[in-house]
Amino acid sequence: MTNDDPTFSFYDENAAIYAVRDRSLPQRRLDAFLNALPAGASILELGCGGGQDAAYMITQGFNVTPMDGSAEMAKQAENLIGRPVIVRRFEELEDDQAYDGIWAEASLLHVRRSDLPGIFNRIHKALKNGGIFHASFKAGKTEGYDSFGRYYNYLSADWLDDLLMSTGWEDISLNETDGSGYDGKLTKWLRMRASKGIPSAI
């Protein structure tokens, strides 16, 4: 996804409005994710948006590194959480075994489907052995843009399961739930959790 992609343009141009939109904190999913990690674990949030999820994880005592591809969204998150937010695209992730968990709620759904395997490999590398990865997508079988010009890679559970297995993930959990998005339209969400396996001793 390039810098002039309309998806990034949307978030840069609408950051102030988007950051304070009416959004329910996904506390149940956050708590399940955090409960699977050690106390005080290091967490990378990919696509932190307005910073609400990062703020919650910080209040729970976790060492959170928030990251977003939109410089304007990062400013909004910084205003909320009072700490720096890394401005970086998913494809620029270069960390190596740095995090106990990676949280990507409704962010990787903007990655082109053909680019997802490479991004998942980068996420896998960035996690410590045994680390936990959470992400959510809008479910479906197509690709395209919504009414705001944002790209989506609508994924099926089978497609995502195949991708996770092919990129070396373990303890894969997938589930679908009904919900909606910023456009107000009803949609089915596909949520996943997986762990990075610990290499066998030679």
Side-chain angles (χ1 to χ4, degrees):
M1 191 176 293
T2 59
N3 289 354
D4 59 353
D5 187 282
T7 304
F8 285 115
S9 297
F10 169 83
Y11 288 111
D12 279 336
E13 295 168 7
N14 298 279
I17 297 172
Y18 190 83
V20 297
R21 72 197 188 282
D22 185 16
R23 172 184 182 262
S24 297
L25 187 77
Q27 187 169 341
R28 182 177 297 180
R29 293 189 295 279
L30 278 164
D31 287 341
F33 172 72
L34 297 176
N35 288 338
L37 298 173
S42 59
I43 298 171
L44 173 65
E45 182 177 11
L46 295 175
C48 69
Q52 293 88 353
D53 293 2
Y56 178 77
M57 292 188 281
I58 291 168
T59 65
Q60 301 304 301
F62 290 87
N63 178 19
V64 182
T65 300
M67 176 179 129
D68 203 276
S70 163
E72 295 303 317
M73 286 301 307
K75 291 177 184 177
Q76 296 296 320
E78 287 176 349
N79 290 338
L80 178 66
I81 64 177
R83 63 174 63 183
V85 172
I86 297 171
V87 179
R88 187 176 297 158
R89 307 292 166 84
F90 303 129
E91 62 270 21
E92 297 171 329
L93 181 62
E94 298 287 351
D95 296 306
D96 187 0
Q97 299 190 62
Y99 305 102
D100 299 294
I102 293 181
W103 176 262
E105 177 77 359
S107 59
L108 295 173
L109 40 64
H110 294 311
V111 175
R112 294 193 178 278
R113 191 178 300 204
S114 59
D115 294 334
L116 273 174
I119 299 299
F120 273 44
N121 284 333
R122 289 177 180 274
I123 292 169
H124 194 273
K125 180 181 178 183
L127 277 173
K128 299 175 184 178
N129 293 330
I132 304 295
F133 171 35
H134 164 93
S136 62
F137 301 84
K138 289 186 177 183
K141 297 183 179 180
T142 61
E143 299 179 75
Y145 290 83
D146 70 0
S147 59
F148 295 104
R150 300 178 298 174
Y151 168 85
Y152 282 92
N153 56 25
Y154 301 95
L155 305 182
S156 69
D158 288 343
W159 193 94
L160 182 55
D161 188 51
D162 288 344
L163 173 60
L164 288 164
M165 289 193 294
S166 69
T167 46
W169 295 92
E170 299 182 355
D171 303 321
I172 298 167
S173 173
L174 300 171
N175 67 82
E176 291 188 3
T177 58
D178 292 324
S180 62
Y182 182 71
D183 58 7
K185 296 180 179 179
L186 296 178
T187 188
K188 192 171 288 293
W189 284 89
L190 175 60
R191 311 190 191 279
M192 57 141 290
R193 193 168 85 178
S195 63
K196 177 178 179 177
I198 300 175
S200 301
I202 298 176

